[in-house]
Amino acid sequence: MAASPKHPLAAGQSVGHQPAKPSGSKASKVITLTGIGVVSLLLIAYCSAQDDYEEVGAECVDVNSYQEDGSYTIVDDDYCDDSGSHYHGSHGAYGWYYGGTRSGSRIGHGTTVRPSDVQIVTRKGTVIQRGGFGSHWGGGS
C-alpha cells in the first residue's frame, strides 16, 4: 500500500499565498451604504413618531369685529370649518385666531397668522393642524 499524501501544512510545507481582497471592495461598500440607509430610515421614523409639538389654541372669530384693543368677537367653530356651510363674504367674514387671551365673548393678544410646526387645537378639541410643515388635518367634532 502506498502512503496517502499528507496535507501540505502537516508536512511543514508552505502553501501558496493568495492575494488579499482590496480594502475598498464592492461588498464592503454595499454593506456600509445599506447600514447608513437603515440607520437613516430608523432615525426619520423615530423623529416623525414624536408628538413633542407645542399646542396652540384656536378660536373662530368674526374678522370684521376687530376692536381698537386688538380683540375679535368669538363665534362658533362651525363658521370656520372647511365645509363652506356659512357665508364668508368676498374677504372672508370668519377665520381662526391663534393663541391669545379670551375675555368673555372676545379674544385678543394672539394672531390671525397660522403658526407652523405646532399642534393647533380648537376649543372643542378638534385638531386642525398637527405639527410639521404647516400640514392641515381635518377633524370631526
Side-chain angles (χ1 to χ4, degrees):
M1 277 201 196
S4 64
K6 292 185 176 183
H7 189 278
L9 291 177
Q13 299 174 0
S14 68
V15 178
H17 186 298
Q18 293 188 359
K21 284 188 173 182
S23 63
S25 70
K26 285 184 181 181
S28 67
K29 288 179 182 176
V30 168
I31 291 171
T32 301
L33 291 176
T34 302
I36 291 171
V38 168
V39 170
S40 298
L41 286 174
L42 290 173
L43 182 63
I44 290 169
Y46 173 78
C47 290
S48 66
Q50 299 299 309
D51 280 337
D52 292 340
Y53 297 109
E54 179 182 348
E55 189 172 286
V56 173
E59 294 279 356
C60 184
V61 298
D62 178 350
V63 295
N64 294 322
S65 68
Y66 181 79
Q67 296 294 308
E68 289 182 20
D69 65 356
S71 68
Y72 291 90
T73 300
I74 299 169
V75 296
D76 191 270
D77 289 354
D78 291 340
Y79 286 91
C80 290
D81 71 6
D82 291 334
S83 68
S85 61
H86 294 284
Y87 174 72
H88 293 276
S90 62
H91 297 287
Y94 307 102
W96 292 110
Y97 191 81
Y98 308 101
T101 305
R102 185 178 175 146
S103 177
S105 64
R106 300 196 64 79
I107 189 166
H109 306 290
T111 181
T112 57
V113 178
R114 178 180 287 219
S116 62
D117 205 23
V118 295
Q119 179 168 301
I120 301 173
V121 181
T122 68
R123 184 174 14 133
K124 291 181 178 178
T126 304
V127 176
I128 59 174
Q129 177 176 299
R130 189 181 306 273
F133 301 99
S135 60
H136 178 82
W137 290 61
S141 51

